[in-house]
Amino acid sequence: MLYFLLYAQNHLYLITLATIQQAQKRDSKAQRQLFEHYGFTLYRLAFRYLRERMEAEDVVAESFCAIFENISKAKFENVVLFEAWLKRITVNESLKALKKRANFQLISDTAYEILTIKDEIIESLTAEQILELVSQLPVGYRTVFNLYEIEGFTHAEIAKLLNINEGTSKSQLSKAKGLLQKRIIELDKDYAKSKIVR
Amino acid sequence: MQNQKLFDKIRASLADEEALKQEPLEWSKENVWQKIEQRQNRKQKLVWWPFAAAAALAILMGGYIWFLAVAETEKSAANSAPLLEKQKTIHSKSIARTKREITDLKTTPPPKEQKSKKVPAGEPAPKDSFIVSNPPTNLEGVKITSKQDSVLPTAPTTEIQAVVENKSKERVLVVDIDLPDAPPADHLLKTTFLQRFSQQARRLKTERKFDIKALDRKPGNGIWSFVGQSFVTPEAKN
């Protein structure tokens, strides 16, 4: 029941193309509806990159400002495209915030062995565990992994966004995957002890 | 690809909205919305800046142009001030004279017309007498108000009219008469003494001829007639 109420609260504002068009006309009510509907999704997205609440909130606020400012310039054939546009803006803002950080740097000296993980272990993994594992990755690895595996950016796009070479992006992703595998294996200590199947 | 299944699951888990909603994330929605509103207001203010700056610049330019125009007008007014002052002085002088005349008329009794008309019969009118038109003293029908001329003191209009009515009218005839063309001055200077002497002699000869004709209307052809005509006295001439 509680879950249903929460679900209903989150989906109270149904977003249609009409709502988007209203927001394009700078209608504050429509803008608020968009924020109510997509606010948390975008916050979660920003948090995945930044791992800091205040910073993620700032990024969400900045993203919505950019959205409301540029929404009238864009044309959307459907809501899915609009959502993709929102996420893209939030990712860009998150990357901006990341670049401002002093500790944002890509690790290149560590090499990880590619290990094969048993299907049973993969199936036993929960969403929470996966999120936790991804969030524990170093910032450079995590950023490239998120951009490539979750957002679907190409290496060329990632290289452009982060001002790095395509090769660096590829190597960062490879290392991120290796570290992730290692951590997943480490979850099951018995399995880790029994030497990893190649 | 190795561990493809693992990464597919990771991708699916991170993309699954319903699963992610279970994620224990906290955020202050209202704070974020307040931040958005504040930033939007700030941006709206910033949007107006260029327009405000342009308007201010336009006002400044307009003011500068207006100032230049005013300065130019003042300069031209300053140049024409002496002329105006002169005109004003003349005007005030004429007004003062008019006022003086009005007071004279008030104080002195009006001149008797018969006396003034009496002119000695034998005495011819002096040749050099001119009809002089006074400055505009004829204020008949003109109402002087304080608004029209601030120089004049506000005098009752009726009083002025009454005084003015006693004054006799003066009429001035202006006739444009063409004078005969004078001989060129250099022409007289060019004539020599001999030319002038011959001209004089010719004139005297002609006069003499007329005189003879007047004396002797029937001149004879003989020598005595010639002698008689030669001795013409001035008395006989008249």
Side-chain angles (χ1 to χ4, degrees), chain A residues 32 62 115 149-150 181, chain B residues 3 11 14 29 33 39:
Chain A
R32 178 76 193 193
E62 202 62 52
L115 306 167
E149 291 292 341
I150 317 299
Q181 286 167 348
Chain B
N3 294 325
R11 204 176 295 120
L14 292 172
K29 198 198 305 181
W33 181 247
R39 285 175 198 186

Side-chain angles (χ1 to χ4, degrees), chain B residues 10 25 32 45-46 48 50 58 63 67 90 106 109 111 114 117 122 125 133 140 155 159 179 185 201 215 225 229 238:
Chain B
I10 292 169
L25 272 178
V32 174
K45 279 176 191 170
L46 287 170
W48 282 103
F67 173 75
I90 292 161
K106 266 185 180 178
Q114 287 177 352
K117 276 179 184 176
S133 175
E140 194 178 2
E159 195 185 341
L179 291 166
L215 276 171
S225 172
Q229 286 167 12
N238 292 324

Side-chain angles (χ1 to χ4, degrees), chain B residues 20-89:
Chain B
L20 289 169
K21 278 184 183 109
Q22 312 285 325
E23 196 180 3
L25 272 178
E26 284 180 7
W27 77 310
S28 52
K29 198 198 305 181
E30 290 305 315
N31 279 352
V32 174
W33 181 247
Q34 274 183 357
K35 279 181 190 173
I36 292 165
E37 282 185 327
Q38 280 173 1
R39 285 175 198 186
Q40 274 190 310
N41 289 337
R42 209 186 307 151
K43 275 180 184 173
Q44 275 176 354
K45 279 176 191 170
L46 287 170
V47 162
W48 282 103
W49 259 107
F51 295 105
L57 196 69
I59 288 163
L60 278 172
M61 288 291 286
Y64 181 67
I65 290 162
W66 179 78
F67 173 75
L68 281 178
V70 166
E72 193 67 30
T73 316
E74 278 177 0
K75 206 181 269 181
S76 61
N79 289 338
S80 61
L83 187 68
L84 275 168
E85 199 64 37
K86 209 175 179 181
Q87 284 176 349
K88 221 177 228 179
T89 318

Side-chain angles (χ1 to χ4, degrees), chain A residues 123-144:
Chain A
E123 281 166 12
S124 66
L125 281 170
T126 59
E128 277 181 38
Q129 281 178 321
I130 289 167
L131 283 167
E132 186 64 28
L133 287 168
V134 172
S135 67
Q136 283 172 359
L137 286 172
V139 64
Y141 292 177
R142 189 176 68 234
T143 306
V144 176

